[in-house]
Amino acid sequence: MSQYLSGPFAGWSVRGNYLVSPDGDRMTPERLVGLAWRDKMELRLAGYASRRKAEAGKAIAGRRQMVKVVVVDLGEFRERHFGRSAG
């Protein structure tokens, strides 16, 4: 018994326990499950990698805090905070 598929699987057919490509390649249900599992695991690893990258970016951004630099004449600082008698 052969059943032809339509849509994105146009040209593919189901023959017995096999999914058959237009080129004649036969795929068992176990092979399809294995391919789906591998695809799922690759997406999962890619998600973990992107999460690690994002977390590393946040850690670096946390260490890059803005610094304000103020240049003050030491004489003016002493006079303003301690008065003229400190000098």
Side-chain angles (χ1 to χ4, degrees):
M1 180 176 144
S2 178
Q3 178 183 8
Y4 290 95
L5 303 173
S6 61
F9 291 99
W12 288 76
S13 63
V14 177
R15 293 185 187 153
N17 204 25
Y18 295 99
L19 180 64
V20 182
S21 74
D23 299 332
D25 298 329
R26 294 176 177 253
M27 301 183 82
T28 63
E30 293 82 15
R31 175 76 174 144
L32 290 173
V33 169
L35 289 171
W37 178 85
R38 179 178 175 162
D39 187 48
K40 179 181 175 183
M41 291 300 119
E42 286 176 353
L43 289 173
R44 185 176 174 191
L45 287 174
Y48 288 150
S50 67
R51 182 176 178 186
R52 282 192 299 270
K53 184 177 177 182
E55 288 175 353
K58 286 180 184 177
I60 290 171
R63 290 186 297 227
R64 292 184 192 166
Q65 295 178 353
M66 297 297 290
V67 176
K68 188 173 192 177
V69 177
V70 179
V71 179
V72 178
D73 184 334
L74 187 57
E76 288 179 14
F77 179 80
R78 283 185 183 164
E79 187 176 321
R80 185 180 309 141
H81 291 282
F82 301 108
R84 292 181 182 250
S85 61

